[in-house]
Amino acid sequence: MSNKRQDVSVSPDGEVFILPGEADYQAENQRLAELVAEHRQAGRQIVVVMGVGFVGAVMAAVVADAPGKFVIGMQRPSERSYWKIPLLNRGLAPVTSEDPEVPAMIARCVNEKKTLTASFSYEALALADVVVVDVQCDYSKDELADVTKGSVEMRAFEQSLGVIGQKIQPQCLVLIETTVPPGATEFVAYPIIKKAFRARGVDDEPLLAHSYERVMPGRNYVASIRDFWRVCAGVNEKSRQMVVDFLNDVLNTEKYPLTVLDKPIESETAKIVENSFRATMLAFMDEWSRFAELNGVDIVKVIQAIKARPTHNNIMFPGPGIGGYCLPKDGGLGVWSHHHLMGFQEPIFKMTPMAIDINDNRSLHAAGLVRDGLRNMSRSLAACEVLVCGASYREDVGDTRYSGSELVVRKLTEMGAIVRVHDPYVKRWWELENQDTYPAPGHSRGRFFRSQQELGHLKVSQDLEQSLQGADAVVLCVRHKQYLELDPDWVVKMAGGPLCVVDCFALLDDAKIRRYFELGCEVKGMGRGHVKRIKDAVRRA
């Protein structure tokens, strides 16, 4: 009997899938060839979406739901991600969301229309008319709260483009949706594909375009891709026309017209500026949130008053730091590009990196409020049981990438708290479970804190009642619907007595704050300086 270990990939639900071997590739390539021949005969364009994560999986379904398209969602068969392929081929969404259209569309395209399949084989690229690139291009910070000390992790992006250049037909359009440093399409992607073409004896110019997504996981997940404005550009006139034609085919451009720019660097810059603006606005609100805490002001009421003015209706409350794949690092892509792709040395960027640094520190302030609230109850944070409600970066999704909650959990752990986590949408917190190796050995955000080893064993609970039992503090980090509906009496009953309640994202109205104080709890809130007035009023009653 062989003792050879088989590599596996485990889904969030715990289902185990064995990674494919050589024989599996042969069978898979045959399956793809037969499917593509069938759909070409039916007159469909063959589209490969490279990467079926939070953007790629839903983008693949949107394209597959459009007339005249057959889509192959392609995912590298790694231990982390291979499980997505068999799930997609059953018609099951590999991402969780409150948008009912996500699972319905994927199931319809896979099982009814049969215009969507998933594969682990790079040979799918050789069959494509269009390749949509949705692979990660991360920015790694060397220091927390100093984005200027870091670098872009281009390797996976460059390797993917190298494989694309080796496999695709010369007439295939390559559409980059990945958020990349400005200039990456023309100065990184184009040379890689052109070099691969030359090695194959292909003289054709690569057909290459950039069009960034504005996906917002949540209740309008599908609409944020299909029914929303898009920006695009191509490296040459033919690429530009092909990307315009493709996007017109698959998106609702009649109602949400395309903006076509002259060069990909303009499209890439638009994405970075767009997200840097949003990050800067949130950083701006951080200092006023701190002011509100120190001076008895409820910043939530202030924001609501300001938003009545139409010119200021996009002002936002920042929560416990910003998260998601874009805002915490996209400005760093611009700074890095300025120095390393464009070759300029003068430090022209000041506000963009400062905003990211401020937002990093906001998560740490949330942990400080937990400490202060417990002190007011004559309890020490060290060895207290603290429940963090919400692991995802925003409400009603299961996406934990760059989550502000991760920094809250890590800081609380560093300060000696015993941390437990609940999230109705997150079944596995990959960034914690695999902190020794992800995104690379020694590169997790755990390296910025002490005493992080035990977090690799942390399990995210979906049972809130059980999670609350014996808790000394509860930290409301995400505006999930379940948390917005929490009843203070029920929370205190489940916890077994008064506890410290820290509201990081304006989940509590004044009536709930008052009730927590009446039940003997301590309440702290980011930007909620008025809680002291409510506390004093309860104590006087």
Side-chain angles (χ1 to χ4, degrees):
M1 175 181 284
S2 172
N3 291 322
K4 184 178 179 181
R5 173 184 173 270
Q6 287 187 302
D7 292 328
V8 299
S9 177
V10 182
S11 76
D13 286 322
E15 188 172 358
V16 177
F17 299 94
I18 298 173
L19 298 190
E22 184 176 345
D24 298 306
Y25 279 92
Q26 293 175 359
E28 178 67 0
N29 293 338
Q30 180 64 31
R31 182 183 78 91
L32 293 177
E34 292 173 359
L35 281 172
V36 167
E38 175 188 337
H39 285 280
R40 281 205 192 282
Q41 190 171 7
R44 294 190 179 94
Q45 187 179 49
I46 310 304
V47 181
V48 172
V49 177
M50 198 173 191
V52 289
F54 282 94
V55 175
V58 182
M59 179 63 178
V62 167
V63 177
D65 206 39
K69 309 295 180 188
F70 173 67
V71 179
I72 303 170
M74 200 195 75
Q75 181 70 48
R76 185 171 63 90
S78 65
E79 292 183 11
R80 182 187 183 195
S81 300
Y82 173 70
W83 60 267
K84 299 174 185 178
I85 298 167
L87 261 63
L88 267 173
N89 283 333
R90 296 175 191 167
L92 301 176
V95 295
T96 55
S97 170
E98 276 289 286
D99 187 350
E101 200 170 359
V102 172
M105 178 181 286
I106 288 175
R108 179 173 65 250
C109 291
V110 173
N111 297 323
E112 298 173 23
K113 299 177 71 174
K114 302 200 181 295
T115 53
L116 174 61
T117 192
S119 179
F120 52 84
S121 176
Y122 285 124
E123 294 304 317
L125 296 167
L127 305 170
D129 300 308
V130 178
V131 173
V132 180
V133 181
D134 279 318
V135 300
Q136 290 192 356
C137 181
D138 275 329
Y139 186 86
S140 178
K141 300 174 187 176
D142 295 334
E143 296 181 16
L144 187 65
D146 189 350
V147 74
T148 62
K149 292 184 172 64
S151 59
V152 179
E153 301 287 350
M154 295 284 286
R155 184 175 303 174
F157 179 71
E158 291 171 330
Q159 288 176 342
S160 297
L161 289 163
V163 175
I164 289 170
Q166 294 164 14
K167 299 289 186 182
I168 61 170
Q169 299 302 315
Q171 68 274 17
C172 175
L173 172 69
V174 178
L175 168 57
I176 296 173
E177 280 196 322
T178 301
T179 303
V180 293
T185 300
E186 295 158 272
F187 306 138
V188 178
Y190 177 86
I192 289 174
I193 296 177
K194 183 68 174 176
K195 182 178 179 180
F197 274 15
R198 285 176 181 158
R200 294 165 53 191
V202 175
D203 294 327
D204 301 61
E205 282 293 301
L207 299 172
L208 189 60
H210 181 268
S211 177
Y212 63 90
E213 42 73 27
R214 287 166 166 152
V215 62
M216 290 294 288
R219 297 185 185 94
N220 300 304
Y221 207 151
V222 171
S224 71
I225 292 178
R226 183 190 59 209
D227 306 316
F228 211 65
W229 294 271
R230 274 288 188 116
V231 177
C232 66
V235 297
N236 51 42
E237 183 57 38
K238 187 173 182 180
S239 301
R240 184 181 304 115
Q241 190 57 54
M242 288 181 74
V243 71
V244 168
D245 290 345
F246 175 73
L247 294 175
N248 279 331
D249 283 348
V250 301
L251 305 180
N252 184 8
T253 56
E254 184 175 337
K255 186 173 182 180
Y256 303 93
L258 294 174
T259 298
V260 184
L261 299 177
D262 293 335
K263 299 179 68 178
I265 191 172
E266 295 174 334
S267 175
E268 295 160 340
T269 300
K271 177 63 181 284
I272 302 303
V273 173
E274 189 173 305
N275 284 338
S276 296
F277 168 76
R278 196 174 181 92
T280 302
M281 180 171 60
L282 290 165
F284 165 76
M285 287 307 301
D286 171 75
E287 59 190 40
W288 285 105
S289 174
R290 297 284 195 98
F291 173 88
E293 289 174 32
L294 295 170
N295 293 282
V297 174
D298 183 1
I299 197 67
V300 175
K301 296 187 182 74
V302 170
I303 290 172
Q304 289 170 345
I306 294 170
K307 290 178 76 168
R309 179 179 178 179
T311 57
H312 289 58
N313 63 8
N314 65 343
I315 192 170
M316 294 184 296
F317 183 78
I322 59 174
Y325 186 61
C326 297
L327 268 62
K329 51 83 179 170
D330 278 6
L333 298 178
V335 175
W336 184 90
S337 170
H338 176 69
H339 295 306
H340 297 282
L341 286 185
M342 306 306 163
F344 296 103
Q345 296 308 307
E346 57 269 36
I348 62 171
F349 287 102
K350 294 178 175 61
M351 292 180 65
T352 297
M354 183 186 297
I356 295 174
D357 298 344
I358 289 170
N359 291 323
D360 279 351
N361 276 324
R362 186 164 175 81
S363 301
L364 309 184
H365 176 57
L369 291 179
V370 182
R371 174 202 59 214
D372 296 345
L374 285 168
R375 281 180 179 173
N376 289 350
M377 300 180 75
S378 300
R379 303 180 195 178
S380 172
L381 175 61
C384 270
E385 301 271 353
V386 179
L387 172 62
V388 172
C389 286
S392 63
Y393 84 91
R394 62 167 300 188
E395 69 273 12
D396 303 329
V397 299
D399 190 346
T400 58
R401 293 176 299 173
Y402 294 104
S403 165
S405 299
E406 181 186 346
L407 295 182
V408 175
V409 167
R410 291 193 180 281
K411 187 62 179 178
L412 288 170
T413 300
E414 180 180 65
M415 296 166 73
I418 302 169
V419 180
R420 58 184 86 156
V421 177
H422 174 274
D423 193 300
Y425 299 96
V426 177
K427 294 178 180 177
R428 296 178 64 191
W429 200 340
W430 184 270
E431 290 83 359
L432 296 186
E433 283 187 33
N434 297 275
Q435 63 181 4
D436 293 337
T437 57
Y438 180 80
H443 278 70
S444 86
R445 294 204 282 182
R447 72 189 188 278
F448 301 130
F449 303 89
R450 60 177 284 274
S451 303
Q452 300 294 294
Q453 294 82 0
E454 291 303 314
L455 288 180
H457 305 293
L458 186 144
K459 302 299 181 186
V460 181
S461 171
Q462 278 77 52
D463 186 335
L464 185 55
E465 180 177 334
Q466 183 182 58
S467 299
L468 277 165
Q469 290 177 10
D472 296 288
V474 59
V475 189
L476 302 172
C477 282
V478 185
R479 291 177 62 84
H480 288 326
K481 181 180 179 182
Q482 182 177 9
Y483 304 151
L484 288 166
E485 296 174 349
L486 284 177
D487 174 60
D489 289 81
W490 182 84
V491 170
V492 173
K493 180 181 178 181
M494 291 304 104
L499 72 168
C500 171
V501 180
V502 177
D503 181 5
C504 297
F505 222 140
L507 285 88
L508 303 179
D509 59 25
D510 287 0
K512 288 185 177 180
I513 294 172
R514 181 175 295 105
R515 184 57 184 155
Y516 276 118
F517 280 127
E518 290 171 348
L519 293 167
C521 299
E522 180 66 19
V523 180
K524 293 286 185 180
M526 300 190 83
R528 315 299 299 278
H530 73 306
V531 297
K532 177 68 164 53
R533 293 201 303 273
I534 298 175
K535 179 180 179 179
D536 290 345
V538 170
R539 297 293 184 263
R540 288 194 299 268

